[in-house]
Amino acid sequence: MLPKRILDYGKSGNVIREISEYGKQRAREIGPENLYDFSIGNPSVPCPEQVTQTLISLLQTVPAKKLHAYTAAPGDPGVRQAVADYLNGRFGRHCSGDGIYLTAGAAAALAISLTALLNPGEEVILPAPFFSEYVVYTEQAGGVPVIVPCRSDFQLDVDVIERAITEKTRVLLLNSPNNPSGVVFREDTVRAVSQLLARKSRELGHTIYLLSDEPYRELAYDGMEVPYLPNYYPNTLVCNSFSKCLSLAGERLGYVLVPETVENWRDVYAAVCGGGRALGYINVSSLFQFALPACLGQTADLSIYAENRRILVSALKEYGYEMATPDGAFYLYVKALEEDDMAFCKKAREFELLLVPGQAFYYPGYVRVAYCMDTDTIRRALPAFKKLAQAYGK
Amino acid sequence: MLPKRILDYGKSGNVIREISEYGKQRAREIGPENLYDFSIGNPSVPCPEQVTQTLISLLQTVPAKKLHAYTAAPGDPGVRQAVADYLNGRFGRHCSGDGIYLTAGAAAALAISLTALLNPGEEVILPAPFFSEYVVYTEQAGGVPVIVPCRSDFQLDVDVIERAITEKTRVLLLNSPNNPSGVVFREDTVRAVSQLLARKSRELGHTIYLLSDEPYRELAYDGMEVPYLPNYYPNTLVCNSFSKCLSLAGERLGYVLVPETVENWRDVYAAVCGGGRALGYINVSSLFQFALPACLGQTADLSIYAENRRILVSALKEYGYEMATPDGAFYLYVKALEEDDMAFCKKAREFELLLVPGQAFYYPGYVRVAYCMDTDTIRRALPAFKKLAQAYGK
């Protein structure tokens, strides 16, 4: 009698959460220092001190009834303009605060954007591997997920995407730097995909939107440039979050950007507002909104992730693991040492290593290793990775 | 090409927001001190000092990477248990933290609950007047709003509700103290409605849920008791918010309670979790979650609303206005002095009075007067209310 799909969402949770529950249990049994939990994408470095000081200062100086009052639904106009100014300065785009809709993180931004764009039965192309909630948000918006694989190097496969486009295609959802692969989509593939979407939109007589989910934009290593998709394809909506770059995952602070290059951008923006309204969003926390302008352009100390990555990539390669090119985010996507990635994760548990099977990202045969943790834990975990490899004769 | 219903939600906004925009414009023209804006339900008293001090203390003492990390999706287990303990102490119900799902305010709680309960085409009975977003959340969840009027004294009309029940009825949504009428539903009508729902659930062979939206529970005057619906009807879900009682409307902090008296409450709770997941909610702001236990049972200084109510009710009655019994919330629902409440609101603007037409609450012929403002503004506005009455020959 309860709606089955919704009940299933609630009962199944997601695989990562289940691993996390196992981890908590196991940590109680053997002591947390003996468990190597590489399953969670929770930032392990604190937010910049500027964030804390700004929050305290607001609480001490702004009258409470103003600080904690409703704002406009898309966010305070001054805050939205500050975000727009920052993005314009950074990427040379032209948007005003009127194109920014503040959201409770990137998850809300995606759920709202898909609600805004999709008519029932319209299709969303999802290049795998990808964050599993994309399927949930697509289904909830009445859409149909169309899952296509990336190439074996985890770059976009433009031919495969072209073959997946039908008259019902409405959105291509891209995530770069990618969770879980850590790969940054290269400029040439981005350019090719943009040309494809432009051509197909003309042929089909309707706009195919590019939805860019980019919470890991600031986490790219070795000077890697992350192409800014509105610079390549005009009908791009950007979903972003300050969860990872400011280490504020629990506070839910992000945005949808509807650039003025989007056809009928005012209508698309109105639909985004309507989507937010329909899903029960009123406004993003007013305290965190007002803190945001002082923190734009700052990041948590991301050098720790770079160091973790350096240590882990070097060691895992030495032990005989293969992986996707680890350009960004705080994930490695490592080839499982047997065909069944679930079985491989189970084997890893024998060495107290918690990994996430690639099936959770619709791209099996791999496992995700999240390295957002103390560098010391990384070092202590290396022997476990080594033993796991040895168990497979490496 | 954009989904029409969603675009309409975004374009039409709601009537109250439009009045608010007019108000901002008008305040610039004539000075805010000359405008009497009774349109907005934004708390006008600050949050308790305890809230501010708790937030500052958390920011100063809890490591940032813990304070701002993801929590479990339904909320931190300790915080949920604290909410359950508080409710159990207050209302003598038996629920554990496992029955509490923290939400971004009551709006999210309602959107999530309706998503959790409704199959496509199932009906939600909405006794009018009511907050217009109930229709949005019902439609978005695939349900059908069935609007029935309250009695002329704005109490529930049990006979009308009975006639509205069909085999598709799934939810009766009640809001007491009521926005906009200010009425508290009396115990005898609550009891009668509960008996009706129990009988109809048996006859139809499926559960009809009572959904209790009660953000104004703490705002009841003259010692008025607000019946706690789970004490009357076992299949009640409670949606609540700290927006009004703690004056934190902009921070989005509330909950859904699934009492253990609900049939298959664990499944219903799982569906609530699934609903939240489907709509893109990850967790409520971790900072505000951790602040909550220290603030449970506190309220902002609500005596100002009581004083505003006393002054306004007394004056308006003297000027010849009729209104619903103003038991609670911070609203009066006043009979328009002409048949068309929109025209009446327009006339009120001639005296710089901003009121919300009853049409916005699906119960025309009345206007809502929100008295959450400085008492001084209330006093200064009285001559305008008097002139408005005089314009209608009162």
Side-chain angles (χ1 to χ4, degrees):
Chain A
M1 292 272 303
L2 292 165
K4 183 176 178 326
R5 183 172 54 82
I6 301 295
L7 186 58
D8 286 346
Y9 291 156
K11 284 198 160 172
S12 67
N14 67 46
V15 176
I16 299 169
R17 179 140 295 157
E18 281 160 25
I19 296 169
S20 163
E21 290 306 311
Y22 166 85
K24 282 180 196 161
Q25 173 64 28
R26 187 66 181 152
R28 279 192 292 269
E29 290 166 15
I30 62 169
E33 70 284 4
N34 297 311
L35 185 75
Y36 310 112
D37 185 351
F38 288 83
S39 69
I40 295 286
N42 221 344
S44 61
V45 296
C47 63
E49 184 59 23
Q50 170 79 6
V51 173
T52 305
Q53 290 312 319
T54 302
L55 291 168
I56 291 173
S57 167
L58 288 167
L59 287 161
Q60 286 173 335
T61 60
V62 178
K65 79 177 187 183
K66 177 156 183 266
L67 187 60
H68 304 302
Y70 292 118
T71 71
D76 176 80
V79 175
R80 280 187 279 150
Q81 190 58 49
V83 173
D85 290 345
Y86 170 71
L87 293 175
N88 288 334
R90 189 97 192 266
F91 302 109
R93 298 301 306 173
H94 300 289
C95 75
S96 74
D98 292 344
I100 300 286
Y101 179 96
L102 299 179
T103 61
L110 289 163
I112 289 168
S113 296
L114 290 168
T115 301
L117 295 176
L118 295 176
N119 291 287
E122 289 184 338
E123 294 169 356
V124 178
I125 298 180
L126 302 171
F130 59 85
F131 182 48
S132 62
E133 300 304 274
Y134 294 172
V135 169
V136 174
Y137 304 148
T138 298
E139 290 174 347
Q140 182 63 20
V144 178
V146 175
I147 298 170
V148 299
C150 279
R151 300 188 325 212
S152 61
D153 63 355
F154 295 98
Q155 291 293 326
L156 295 172
D157 190 327
V158 183
D159 293 337
V160 165
I161 292 172
E162 173 157 10
R163 285 197 297 275
I165 293 175
T166 75
E167 60 186 13
K168 293 201 157 181
T169 303
R170 186 64 161 165
V171 171
L172 170 65
L173 204 173
L174 298 185
N175 172 223
S176 171
N178 185 264
N179 172 14
S181 77
V183 161
V184 170
F185 296 143
R186 296 287 185 280
E187 190 181 20
D188 59 339
T189 63
V190 165
R191 205 179 288 282
V193 163
S194 301
Q195 285 164 355
L196 170 65
L197 295 186
R199 174 165 58 82
K200 284 290 185 180
S201 293
R202 275 195 309 274
E203 286 175 17
L204 294 167
H206 75 251
T207 305
I208 302 175
Y209 295 94
L210 195 54
L211 199 53
S212 176
D213 176 29
E214 46 182 61
Y216 300 100
R217 164 168 291 282
E218 305 304 324
L219 281 75
Y221 306 101
D222 303 334
M224 170 69 65
E225 285 287 322
V226 182
Y228 189 66
L229 300 189
N231 285 336
Y232 297 84
Y233 186 65
N235 289 305
T236 299
L237 274 65
V238 177
C239 295
N240 209 339
S241 164
F242 299 95
S243 292
K244 315 293 178 176
C245 60
L246 287 178
S247 287
L248 291 175
E251 305 299 357
R252 317 311 305 142
L253 188 59
Y255 60 85
V256 180
L257 162 65
V258 182
E260 295 182 7
T261 53
V262 170
E263 284 167 44
N264 300 317
W265 73 271
R266 288 185 189 279
D267 269 8
V268 174
Y269 185 81
V272 167
C273 294
R277 185 181 172 196
L279 303 187
Y281 293 96
I282 300 292
N283 58 241
V284 167
S285 160
S286 50
L287 173 64
F288 281 91
Q289 280 191 49
F290 293 126
L292 186 54
C295 305
L296 288 166
Q298 303 219 3
T299 62
D301 179 6
L302 307 177
S303 68
I304 294 171
Y305 302 137
E307 174 71 358
N308 289 355
R309 167 179 169 275
R310 192 189 60 74
I311 295 169
L312 202 52
V313 168
S314 154
L316 293 193
K317 285 188 174 169
E318 182 195 322
Y319 305 153
Y321 292 97
E322 295 169 43
M323 68 193 72
T325 313
D327 299 318
F330 37 48
Y331 306 112
L332 300 182
Y333 209 47
V334 177
K335 199 157 201 279
L337 296 178
E338 61 180 299
E339 203 171 328
D340 180 349
D341 51 272
M342 296 284 272
F344 180 68
C345 287
K346 208 169 165 189
K347 177 61 101 180
R349 285 191 190 182
E350 292 177 18
F351 305 96
E352 310 303 348
L353 275 174
L354 300 190
L355 311 174
V356 182
Q359 293 185 21
F361 307 100
Y362 295 84
Y363 199 105
Y366 284 74
V367 297
R368 190 187 76 170
V369 180
Y371 56 80
C372 41
M373 51 176 54
D374 296 5
T375 303
D376 178 56
T377 306
I378 301 269
R379 287 191 208 278
R380 287 190 299 106
L382 294 182
F385 278 108
K386 188 169 189 177
K387 284 181 209 155
L388 177 61
Q390 286 168 341
Y392 287 94
K394 291 282 178 182
Chain B
M1 290 273 304
L2 293 165
K4 185 179 177 321
R5 183 172 53 82
I6 301 296
L7 187 57
D8 286 347
Y9 291 156
K11 284 198 160 174
S12 66
N14 68 44
V15 175
I16 299 168
R17 179 141 295 159
E18 281 160 26
I19 296 169
S20 162
E21 289 306 310
Y22 167 84
K24 282 179 195 161
Q25 174 63 29
R26 187 64 182 153
R28 280 192 290 270
E29 290 166 12
I30 63 169
E33 70 284 4
N34 297 312
L35 184 76
Y36 311 111
D37 185 351
F38 288 83
S39 70
I40 296 285
N42 221 346
S44 60
V45 297
C47 63
E49 184 59 23
Q50 170 79 8
V51 174
T52 304
Q53 290 311 318
T54 302
L55 291 168
I56 291 173
S57 167
L58 288 166
L59 287 162
Q60 286 173 337
T61 61
V62 179
K65 80 178 187 185
K66 177 157 184 264
L67 187 59
H68 303 301
Y70 290 118
T71 71
D76 176 80
V79 175
R80 280 186 279 149
Q81 190 58 50
V83 173
D85 291 345
Y86 170 71
L87 293 175
N88 288 335
R90 187 98 194 265
F91 301 109
R93 298 301 304 173
H94 300 289
C95 75
S96 73
D98 292 343
I100 300 285
Y101 179 96
L102 299 180
T103 62
L110 289 163
I112 289 169
S113 296
L114 290 168
T115 301
L117 296 175
L118 295 177
N119 291 287
E122 290 184 336
E123 294 168 354
V124 178
I125 298 179
L126 302 171
F130 60 85
F131 182 47
S132 60
E133 301 303 275
Y134 295 172
V135 168
V136 173
Y137 304 148
T138 298
E139 289 174 347
Q140 182 64 20
V144 178
V146 176
I147 298 169
V148 299
C150 280
R151 300 188 325 212
S152 60
D153 63 355
F154 295 98
Q155 291 292 326
L156 295 171
D157 189 325
V158 184
D159 293 337
V160 164
I161 292 172
E162 174 158 9
R163 285 197 297 274
I165 294 175
T166 75
E167 60 184 14
K168 295 201 154 180
T169 303
R170 187 63 160 163
V171 172
L172 171 64
L173 204 173
L174 298 185
N175 172 223
S176 172
N178 184 264
N179 172 14
S181 77
V183 161
V184 170
F185 296 143
R186 296 288 184 280
E187 190 181 21
D188 59 341
T189 62
V190 166
R191 204 178 289 282
V193 163
S194 300
Q195 287 164 353
L196 170 65
L197 294 186
R199 175 165 57 81
K200 283 290 184 179
S201 292
R202 277 195 307 275
E203 287 175 16
L204 294 168
H206 74 251
T207 305
I208 302 174
Y209 294 94
L210 195 53
L211 198 53
S212 177
D213 176 30
E214 45 183 62
Y216 299 100
R217 163 168 292 282
E218 305 304 324
L219 282 75
Y221 306 101
D222 302 335
M224 170 68 64
E225 284 288 322
V226 182
Y228 189 66
L229 300 188
N231 285 336
Y232 296 85
Y233 185 66
N235 289 305
T236 299
L237 274 66
V238 177
C239 295
N240 209 339
S241 163
F242 299 96
S243 291
K244 315 292 179 176
C245 61
L246 287 178
S247 288
L248 291 175
E251 305 299 357
R252 316 311 305 144
L253 187 59
Y255 60 85
V256 180
L257 162 65
V258 182
E260 295 182 7
T261 53
V262 170
E263 283 168 43
N264 299 318
W265 73 271
R266 287 184 191 279
D267 269 7
V268 174
Y269 185 81
V272 167
C273 294
R277 185 181 174 198
L279 303 187
Y281 293 95
I282 300 292
N283 59 240
V284 167
S285 159
S286 51
L287 173 65
F288 280 92
Q289 282 191 49
F290 293 126
L292 187 55
C295 305
L296 289 165
Q298 303 219 4
T299 61
D301 178 7
L302 308 177
S303 67
I304 294 169
Y305 301 138
E307 174 70 357
N308 288 355
R309 167 179 170 275
R310 192 189 61 72
I311 294 167
L312 203 52
V313 168
S314 154
L316 293 194
K317 285 189 173 169
E318 183 195 321
Y319 305 154
Y321 293 97
E322 296 170 44
M323 68 194 72
T325 313
D327 299 318
F330 37 48
Y331 306 113
L332 300 181
Y333 210 47
V334 177
K335 198 158 201 275
L337 296 178
E338 62 180 297
E339 203 171 327
D340 180 348
D341 51 272
M342 296 283 272
F344 180 67
C345 287
K346 206 167 164 191
K347 176 62 100 178
R349 285 191 189 182
E350 292 177 18
F351 304 97
E352 309 303 347
L353 275 174
L354 300 190
L355 311 174
V356 182
Q359 293 184 20
F361 307 99
Y362 294 84
Y363 198 105
Y366 283 74
V367 296
R368 189 186 79 171
V369 179
Y371 56 80
C372 42
M373 52 175 56
D374 296 5
T375 305
D376 177 56
T377 307
I378 302 270
R379 288 190 208 279
R380 288 191 297 106
L382 295 181
F385 277 108
K386 187 167 187 179
K387 282 182 209 156
L388 177 62
Q390 286 169 340
Y392 287 94
K394 291 282 179 181

